[in-house]
């Protein structure tokens, strides 16, 4: 059972300003409130989805709220369609936020709206003025020429770039003079020179001195937009965020954020930094990688449940692992509930992990099989397959879009494919959707024998006998075909001895246009009587015209 730990807050050095536990920190009201706050500078990738997922699971486990905030203050890198991409990615994976720009609720304002930072500029201006008035921030008029000089000096001396605080000591008269002259300025925070220690929920104790490492950082840029560091602190406070779970790349900035909380006299949230996710080759994943965009996985017909289970499996946080525990995740409709039931934030891995396409494929095949065992999920898969065929296989015969044709194919394919669109893009399955096409006629040998075989099969399969209405008995199909081959052999004067494919290969070619492929009886069973007779009629016309 999770324990409620104590929160310590001291406002004067040298005592540590903050100490948080790894397990759980509650706000004074006892409410867990978390947020996912992506920057709309690209498409949501697996790393971002992992952050959203863990925040979602944490909130739901503790009966809290999960908020979505869009941090769109970086106007230079902003991509207008990114917000839609983020919202749709979360909707598709089923981890929608309780509050955010994707929905309107009566108590939005009470919960902290607006949800786009670009609509909150008046709030940042207010709190920046407060810090200026209290002497905890100052206006900096250093232009790019001087900043570039500092940068070159740092490079020459092989030192980390650090602002030297020149404008920190400007007199009020000098500041008023520069402002009246129309000089551009930024607002910097006066960083105290001392260590800040906090307990990371995932990584443990962390200590750093941002004042010694980088100097006074910028709160508000010259375009009057806030920096990430300033806006996220103001927003997290106003939205009453109790826990911040974010990527490890922000860990070094956390001390700065804690000092900002201290400057305002606010209580800081608990922090947990999720380890990085790397590509299989060891490189860091990026928004510029189209292959790890969440909606790209949807386009490639991976299942959303697969992504959620996979991210929890490689990142930890679950008492049971879907990759090595076959008794875990056994019912499709309860996948998300099982992930929530097994979630424990203390089990989140603190070490980086790598993406593994083979493990992802293994999980998706498993999810596909689970979905086929659920009536509603199976119906959804049939509809999805039909939509894919109509979109990608134009034109396509309406016969191949029927439910009674698609459903058996899905059942047959669950251990043959990794994802749904394998049935469409893989050459080995194209026989399911296309009528007989041009093949190598020289391989078939005696054309009269092929036509005769077609006629024999047509007479057999088009008969109104009840024993061939249902083509589910593979052994009977093989037995019936063997009997037809005997008739063919006699009537063709043993033409099978001539050079060319055997009878089974001929039947496969008649139905698929290829000599190689799945077992003939399976093909006939999959196509069903109606499609078998239809393809025999097409094949007869095809060969007679050759």
């Amino acid at each position: 059972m999770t324990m409620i730990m104590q929160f310590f807050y001291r406002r004067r050095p040298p005592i540590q300003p903050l100490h948080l536990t790894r397990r759980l920190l509650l706000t004074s009201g006892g409410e867990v409130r978390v947020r996912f706050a992506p920057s709309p500078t690209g498409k949501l990738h697996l790393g971002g989805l992992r952050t959203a997922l863990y925040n979602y699971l944490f909130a739901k486990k503790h009966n809290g709220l999960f908020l979505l905030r869009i941090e769109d203050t970086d106007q230079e890198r902003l991509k207008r369609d990114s917000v839609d991409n983020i919202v749709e990615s979360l909707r598709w994976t089923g981890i929608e936020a309780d509050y955010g720009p994707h929905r309107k609720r009566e108590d939005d304002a009470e919960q902290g709206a607006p949800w786009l930072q670009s609509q909150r500029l008046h709030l940042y201006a207010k709190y920046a003025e407060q810090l200026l008035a209290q002497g905890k921030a100052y206006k900096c008029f250093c232009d790019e020429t001087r900043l570039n000089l500092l940068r070159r000096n740092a490079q020459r001396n092989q030192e980390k770039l650090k602002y030297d605080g020149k404008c920190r000591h400007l007199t009020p008269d000098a500041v008023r003079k520069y402002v009246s002259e129309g000089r551009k300025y930024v607002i910097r925070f006066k960083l105290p020179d001392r260590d800040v220690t906090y307990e990371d929920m995932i990584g443990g104790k962390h200590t750093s001195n941002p004042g010694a490492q980088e100097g006074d950082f910028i709160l508000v840029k010259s375009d009057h937009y806030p920096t990430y560091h300033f806006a996220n602190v103001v927003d997290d406070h106003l939205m009453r965020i109790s826990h911040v779970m974010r990527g490890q790349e922000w860990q070094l900035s956390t001390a700065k954020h804690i000092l900002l909380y201290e400057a305002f006299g606010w209580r800081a949230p608990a922090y947990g930094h999720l380890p990085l996710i790397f590509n299989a080759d060891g490189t860091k994943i990026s928004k510029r990688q189209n292959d790890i965009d969440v909606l790209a996985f949807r386009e490639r017909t991976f299942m959303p449940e697969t992504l959620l289970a996979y991210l929890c499996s490689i990142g930890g946080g679950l008492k049971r692992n879907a990759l090595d525990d076959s008794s875990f995740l056994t019912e499709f409709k309860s996948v998300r509930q099982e992930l929530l039931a097994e979630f424990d934030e203390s089990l989140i891995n603190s070490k980086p992990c790598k993406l593994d396409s083979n493990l992802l494929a293994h999980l998706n095949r498993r999810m596909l099989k689970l979905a086929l065992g659920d009536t509603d999920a199976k119906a959804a898969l049939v509809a999805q397959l039909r939509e894919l065929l109509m979109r990608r296989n134009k034109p396509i015969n309406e016969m191949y879009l029927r439910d009674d044709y698609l459903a058996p194919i899905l059942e047959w394919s669950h251990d043959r494919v990794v994802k749904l669109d394998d049935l469409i893009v893989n050459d080995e399955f194209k026989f399911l959707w296309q009528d007989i096409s041009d093949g190598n006629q020289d391989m078939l040998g005696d054309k009269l024998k092929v036509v005769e075989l077609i006629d024999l099969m047509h007479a057999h399969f088009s008969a109104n006998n009840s024993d061939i209405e249902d083509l589910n008995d593979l052994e009977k199909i093989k037995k019936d075909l063997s009997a037809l081959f005997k008739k063919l052999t006699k009537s063709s004067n043993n033409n099978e001895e001539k050079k060319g494919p055997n009878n089974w290969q001929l039947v496969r070619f008649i139905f698929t246009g290829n000599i190689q492929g799945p077992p003939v009886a399976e093909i006939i069973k999959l196509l069903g009587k109606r499609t078998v007779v239809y393809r025999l009629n097409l094949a007869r016309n095809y060969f007679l015209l050759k």
Side-chain angles (χ1 to χ4, degrees):
M1 180 180 295
T2 301
M3 299 176 59
I4 300 178
M5 303 297 188
Q6 296 296 319
F7 175 90
F8 300 96
Y9 182 69
R10 302 281 201 289
R11 296 192 60 181
R12 292 195 178 104
I15 300 176
Q16 295 174 1
L18 197 63
H19 178 73
L20 306 173
T21 71
R22 294 188 69 181
R23 294 289 289 172
L24 181 63
L25 170 75
L26 296 178
T27 61
S28 56
E31 182 183 27
V32 168
R33 296 170 66 94
V34 299
R35 48 69 165 180
F36 176 50
S39 175
T41 56
K43 297 176 180 178
L44 184 66
H45 61 46
L46 286 183
L49 181 64
R50 190 266 307 264
T51 300
L53 173 60
Y54 281 157
N55 276 283
Y56 172 86
L57 292 174
F58 184 83
K60 298 309 172 188
K61 175 186 174 182
H62 297 291
N63 298 313
L65 290 179
F66 172 48
L67 312 181
L68 173 63
R69 184 174 76 225
I70 302 298
E71 301 196 335
D72 59 344
T73 57
D74 189 344
Q75 294 296 292
E76 292 183 359
R77 298 173 59 220
L78 180 66
K79 294 187 177 179
R80 297 297 173 184
D81 58 349
S82 285
V83 175
D84 291 339
N85 177 274
I86 292 166
V87 169
E88 178 59 17
S89 297
L90 296 179
R91 186 206 63 78
W92 176 63
T93 52
I95 52 176
E96 290 185 89
D98 299 301
Y99 292 87
H102 61 296
R103 65 198 312 178
K104 297 288 186 182
R105 300 187 64 167
E106 290 184 0
D107 61 340
D108 271 351
E110 179 185 338
Q111 298 298 337
W115 308 112
L116 272 67
Q117 286 187 336
S118 58
Q119 298 174 5
R120 302 171 63 85
L121 298 183
H122 61 291
L123 295 172
Y124 310 131
K126 169 187 172 182
Y127 287 103
E129 285 299 326
Q130 178 179 324
L131 291 178
L132 286 171
Q134 294 173 345
K136 297 175 180 178
Y138 61 93
K139 294 176 180 177
C140 173
F141 299 89
C142 293
D143 57 18
E144 277 301 311
T145 301
R146 184 171 190 278
L147 295 177
N148 285 332
L149 178 61
L150 292 177
R151 192 174 293 111
R152 287 195 299 271
N153 288 338
Q155 291 173 346
R156 183 171 57 251
N157 297 325
Q158 296 184 334
E159 298 173 346
K160 185 176 180 180
L161 177 62
K162 176 182 176 181
Y163 179 64
D164 60 3
K166 177 183 178 182
C167 292
R168 181 194 263 241
H169 307 293
L170 289 175
T171 64
D173 288 340
V175 171
R176 284 191 290 270
K177 177 176 181 294
Y178 293 156
V179 171
S180 66
E181 291 173 353
R183 293 196 191 185
K184 288 186 176 182
Y185 62 87
V186 299
I187 299 176
R188 291 184 183 270
F189 180 61
K190 288 184 178 180
L191 270 173
D193 185 6
R194 71 162 186 268
D195 287 345
V196 176
T197 299
Y198 70 96
E199 189 77 12
D200 193 290
M201 293 169 60
I202 299 167
K205 192 173 184 178
H206 189 85
T207 300
S208 65
N209 183 341
Q213 293 167 354
E214 61 182 278
D216 299 340
F217 63 93
I218 296 174
L219 300 177
V220 180
K221 296 173 286 186
S222 60
D223 61 1
H224 306 299
Y225 273 79
T227 60
Y228 165 81
H229 305 294
F230 185 49
N232 100 87
V233 166
V234 171
D235 289 342
D236 285 347
H237 170 71
L238 296 179
M239 294 177 186
R240 306 189 299 284
I241 300 301
S242 63
H243 298 75
V244 172
M245 277 195 281
R246 57 189 179 188
Q248 197 173 49
E249 62 269 25
W250 296 112
Q251 189 170 51
L252 291 177
S253 299
T254 301
K256 295 191 292 191
H257 302 163
I258 290 172
L259 289 171
L260 266 175
Y261 276 101
E262 180 180 334
F264 281 114
W266 297 337
R267 170 180 286 185
Y271 286 98
H273 292 90
L274 302 168
L276 298 175
I277 298 178
F278 291 99
N279 292 302
D281 62 3
T283 58
K284 185 180 176 182
I285 61 175
S286 165
K287 290 182 180 181
R288 292 179 291 276
Q289 285 180 244
N290 291 327
D291 59 333
I292 62 165
D293 161 26
V294 172
L295 295 186
F297 283 97
R298 181 175 69 175
E299 183 64 22
R300 302 198 320 265
T301 66
F302 279 92
M303 306 184 77
E305 293 79 6
T306 298
L307 298 187
L308 302 184
Y310 176 72
L311 290 171
C312 286
S313 297
I314 65 171
L318 298 184
K319 300 168 190 172
R320 302 164 72 188
N321 192 312
L323 292 173
D324 52 32
D325 187 347
S326 59
S327 66
F328 181 41
L329 304 181
T330 56
E331 290 190 21
F332 184 77
K333 65 177 62 176
S334 63
V335 167
R336 289 179 177 81
Q337 292 90 327
E338 287 189 71
L339 292 176
L340 177 57
E342 296 295 324
F343 179 72
D344 184 341
E345 65 275 3
S346 70
L347 299 177
I348 296 175
N349 294 339
S350 60
K351 295 182 180 180
C353 55
K354 287 185 179 181
L355 296 178
D356 188 324
S357 58
N358 291 327
L359 293 179
L360 185 64
H362 166 75
L363 261 182
N364 202 71
R365 181 183 280 117
R366 182 173 160 188
M367 289 296 168
L368 191 58
K369 187 174 182 179
L370 286 179
L372 290 172
D374 180 272
T375 302
D376 293 338
K378 182 178 179 180
L381 285 174
V382 169
Q384 184 183 1
L385 180 56
R386 178 167 41 247
E387 190 274 332
L388 285 170
L389 287 165
M390 294 172 65
R391 181 155 50 94
R392 299 186 186 181
N393 267 34
K394 295 179 181 179
I396 185 169
N397 194 311
E398 291 288 333
M399 180 180 297
Y400 304 135
L401 301 175
R402 304 188 320 267
D403 283 7
D404 61 348
Y405 182 74
L406 297 175
I409 287 173
L410 284 172
E411 292 284 357
W412 169 80
S413 67
H414 72 78
D415 59 351
R416 292 175 168 85
V417 300
V418 168
K419 46 192 173 54
L420 204 58
D421 75 344
D422 288 348
L423 285 169
I424 299 174
V425 299
N426 291 3
D427 289 342
E428 60 186 301
F429 303 121
K430 286 186 177 179
F431 75 90
L432 295 168
W433 322 115
Q434 61 187 29
D435 301 331
I436 187 169
S437 57
D438 287 340
N440 186 346
Q441 300 301 307
D442 295 335
M443 295 174 60
L444 299 180
D446 189 348
K447 185 172 75 171
L448 294 177
K449 174 185 173 182
V450 177
V451 174
E452 185 176 4
L453 178 57
I454 291 171
D455 289 340
L456 285 170
M457 288 193 294
H458 189 278
H460 175 74
F461 288 113
S462 61
N464 291 321
N465 297 336
S466 60
D467 63 337
I468 62 171
E469 287 299 318
D470 183 8
L471 297 178
N472 284 324
D473 189 337
L474 293 177
E475 290 303 318
K476 186 178 185 308
I477 293 173
K478 288 189 281 187
K479 182 179 178 181
D480 289 348
L481 286 175
S482 295
L484 292 179
F485 293 161
K486 290 179 181 179
K487 294 180 182 180
L488 175 67
T489 301
K490 292 176 182 178
S491 61
S492 300
N493 297 317
N494 296 318
N495 275 346
E496 189 174 358
E497 297 177 2
K498 296 181 180 181
K499 187 176 181 181
N502 61 41
N503 291 331
W504 295 100
Q505 290 174 322
L506 284 177
V507 174
R508 186 181 292 112
F509 186 90
I510 288 167
F511 286 118
T512 70
N514 291 291
I515 287 178
Q516 304 299 324
V520 170
E522 283 191 15
I523 293 173
I524 292 174
K525 176 183 176 181
L526 275 174
L527 296 179
K529 178 180 177 180
R530 179 178 174 182
T531 308
V532 163
V533 173
Y534 167 74
R535 287 199 179 183
L536 286 171
N537 286 328
L538 287 179
R540 193 175 196 282
N541 294 332
Y542 176 84
F543 284 108
L544 287 176
L545 292 174
K546 290 294 180 180

